Amino acid sequence: MNDSEADAQPPVGSTAPREPWPHLQQLHHELDSVSELFAHHHHDEAVRKASQRFANRVKELTNRADLDGTALMEKAFSGQAPLLAFSDCENPVERDEHDGFRSLAVGMSRALRNVLSHSDSYGFDEVTAHEWLIFISAMHRRLDQVQQVATS
């Protein structure tokens, strides 16, 4: 960052909006609504809303509005009878891939969405919030590629 770019940003601790991180414009389009929150230093809410949007997309794709949180992720990405599959699950590597992404989805629900929904202020700093938004964006991109599994 050159001196003129550094001068354009508000001082650390300021509540004035800052220019968004350049990568925020490249995040998955499902996170477009959180860039304003992030820019105004509402880091916890930006991460919470991004992770909630992931859960809502899973509900939409599975048509399971009756489930939420961990129960939704476990049902949607079950190892035995998934509603959505991250891979064909035809060999050990594909099963590992599916199980790994299921674990990430469950973890996102529990560690981010649930915690941030039930805390007044968790206290993510700008860098940590940015990193979580990148992670959630990557999960949204994987969700774009899931296969709906026919249920009988």
Side-chain angles (χ1 to χ4, degrees):
M1 181 182 317
N2 64 40
D3 290 337
S4 64
E5 289 173 334
D7 292 341
Q9 300 299 325
V12 173
S14 169
T15 57
R18 68 176 253 110
E19 290 298 314
W21 288 48
H23 294 96
L24 284 181
Q25 287 81 21
Q26 298 170 4
L27 295 179
H28 192 279
H29 65 88
E30 291 289 348
L31 275 65
D32 289 350
S33 64
V34 306
S35 62
E36 188 78 13
L37 289 167
F38 186 90
H40 285 87
H41 309 281
H42 300 288
H43 303 127
D44 291 359
E45 183 60 10
V47 173
R48 187 203 64 77
K49 189 172 182 178
S51 60
Q52 180 61 53
R53 182 64 198 127
F54 183 86
N56 289 344
R57 284 188 68 207
V58 172
K59 284 181 187 184
E60 292 162 9
L61 289 169
T62 60
N63 199 27
R64 292 301 304 258
D66 59 316
L67 295 174
D68 197 24
T70 302
L72 171 66
M73 298 305 161
E74 290 287 357
K75 178 68 177 171
F77 305 115
S78 166
Q80 301 303 313
L83 302 174
L84 302 172
F86 287 108
S87 69
D88 291 333
C89 298
E90 293 180 356
N91 60 54
V93 171
E94 289 176 348
R95 285 189 292 279
D96 282 350
E97 177 185 22
H98 176 80
D99 288 344
F101 279 106
R102 177 182 47 81
S103 295
L104 291 172
V106 169
M108 182 193 327
S109 179
R110 293 184 74 174
L112 296 177
R113 199 215 59 160
N114 288 359
V115 169
L116 294 171
S117 293
H118 300 291
S119 299
D120 289 335
S121 177
Y122 192 74
F124 283 141
D125 63 29
E126 182 177 278
V127 172
T128 303
H130 185 241
E131 291 169 337
W132 283 121
L133 292 175
I134 291 169
F135 167 75
I136 296 167
S137 176
M139 290 297 289
H140 275 284
R141 291 190 199 286
R142 268 318 259 135
L143 195 56
D144 289 344
Q145 300 170 354
V146 295
Q147 304 162 29
Q148 291 191 308
V149 179
T151 57
S152 43

